[in-house]
Amino acid sequence: MPYPAAEPYDEGFLKVSEIHTLYYMQCGKPDGKPVLFLHGGPGGKIGPEDTVYFNPDIYRVVLFSQRGAGKSEPSAELRENTTWDLGEHLLGRRSIIQLSAAVSDIEKLREKLGIDKWMVFGGSWGSTLTLAYSETHPDRCTALIMRGIFLLRKSELAFFYQDGTSHIWPEYWEKYVSVIPPEERGNMMQAYYRRLTSDNDEISLTAAKTWSTWEESTCKLVPDPELIAQADNEPGWARAFARIECHYFVNNGFFPEGFLIQEEQIKKM
């Protein structure tokens, strides 16, 4: 059984760039074993309900909303919101003059909170980010826990947004494709991205709600009516979630294909 949801004993904001300020919170035992919770999406949000995996008498649970997500500001902002930014990372013989913005944000938060090392816990996109962080800063990780592992490969994205999950949940798929004309359905992510980044607020919000409803309808084997209704009940959340998630996915997460599970990367952990 899960532990009770823990309300934060500390919360605040951390400016990580000229544009972005992150919201964070700490729950559980202030002098306990540090653990970082990484939410999904990209574009998801955090709350006390995310602490139920951790014994509050043992763990100091740190949670934060990633760029543009949740209570982080500005909401739904896509500028300076890529996986790779601000630093240098080596891929084989090719030097990419970039370092994961999300990874650098994690390090800034760790330093602000005075934590030397921590356990890292992530699900879905959070598992992707867990791998990216641990491969970049293995000396800062005491352990990794990943669930619903998502490696952001083209095959995974195609299965969920183009052809695959559509056969498991055909009734939800019909709603998902309904806002896209038949002639554009050959690339659903690109079609949605054009609408999610449209200057027409009605078009972008309709796309955001429909994209988010598809995600929440199919993310569990037993659909949760409360999750499915979330996009209509929280349009601001739906806009941030859909825009950021689609932004990452049409760009393949800003990763080379299969990057996180390449042997040279795994050896760094």
Side-chain angles (χ1 to χ4, degrees):
M1 296 295 292
Y3 293 98
E7 293 296 325
Y9 67 80
D10 172 54
E11 54 187 330
F13 289 87
L14 173 64
K15 191 169 183 63
V16 293
S17 78
E18 291 187 4
I19 295 176
H20 291 278
T21 300
L22 306 184
Y23 167 77
Y24 70 88
M25 57 190 250
Q26 298 190 79
C27 304
K29 187 179 181 182
D31 61 349
K33 182 177 180 179
V35 56
L36 173 67
F37 177 92
L38 296 175
H39 69 68
K45 61 181 180 177
I46 58 168
E49 64 275 8
D50 295 316
T51 68
V52 299
Y53 305 100
F54 314 104
N55 186 331
D57 296 326
I58 296 177
Y59 289 100
R60 172 188 179 183
V61 187
V62 179
L63 312 92
F64 77 99
S65 296
Q66 297 158 32
R67 295 189 183 198
K71 294 182 180 179
S72 290
E73 300 171 347
S75 177
E77 179 59 65
L78 300 184
R79 291 175 299 163
E80 293 185 12
N81 199 341
T82 68
T83 305
W84 303 104
D85 193 12
L86 307 174
E88 181 171 355
H89 191 87
L90 295 179
L91 174 60
R93 296 182 178 178
R94 192 175 103 196
S95 177
I96 305 177
I97 309 302
Q98 296 170 324
L99 174 67
S100 167
V103 168
S104 71
D105 290 350
I106 292 171
E107 276 296 275
K108 290 173 183 176
L109 181 59
R110 182 189 62 77
E111 291 169 358
K112 175 181 174 60
L113 299 179
I115 295 172
D116 181 46
K117 298 181 180 183
W118 48 12
M119 181 169 70
V120 184
F121 178 105
S124 192
W125 159 254
S127 72
T128 317
L129 189 50
T130 295
L131 285 172
Y133 177 74
S134 63
E135 290 174 1
T136 309
H137 298 284
D139 57 325
R140 297 301 179 185
C141 303
T142 59
L144 308 178
I145 299 178
M146 292 175 284
R147 60 184 179 85
I149 293 175
F150 174 43
L151 298 174
L152 233 170
R153 293 171 295 184
K154 293 179 181 179
S155 59
E156 294 173 277
L157 294 171
F159 186 87
F160 195 77
Y161 293 104
Q162 194 64 45
D163 184 31
T165 308
S166 56
H167 301 289
I168 302 172
W169 300 114
E171 66 275 31
Y172 297 131
W173 177 257
E174 288 302 316
K175 296 177 183 178
Y176 170 67
V177 300
S178 66
V179 300
I180 306 299
E183 62 271 18
E184 295 185 55
R185 293 177 186 175
N187 192 328
M188 291 294 293
M189 290 194 301
Q190 286 288 353
Y192 262 97
Y193 194 56
R194 285 191 288 272
R195 287 157 178 78
L196 290 168
T197 55
S198 170
D199 293 332
N200 185 308
D201 187 69
E202 182 178 354
I203 290 174
S204 63
L205 185 57
T206 297
K209 287 183 176 181
T210 310
W211 174 284
S212 301
T213 298
W214 162 250
E215 177 102 5
E216 300 297 7
S217 299
T218 57
C219 66
K220 293 187 175 183
L221 289 177
V222 179
D224 184 335
E226 290 188 15
L227 280 180
I228 295 173
Q230 189 172 350
D232 286 326
N233 295 337
E234 300 181 45
W237 167 81
R239 188 186 297 278
F241 179 76
R243 273 173 58 88
I244 295 171
E245 189 170 69
C246 192
H247 173 64
Y248 272 72
F249 291 173
V250 296
N251 289 289
N252 296 314
F254 306 93
F255 290 110
E257 179 73 1
F259 174 67
L260 293 174
I261 54 173
Q262 290 179 359
E263 186 175 354
E264 63 187 283
Q265 288 301 112
I266 294 174
K267 286 180 178 179
K268 298 175 181 179
M269 298 169 62

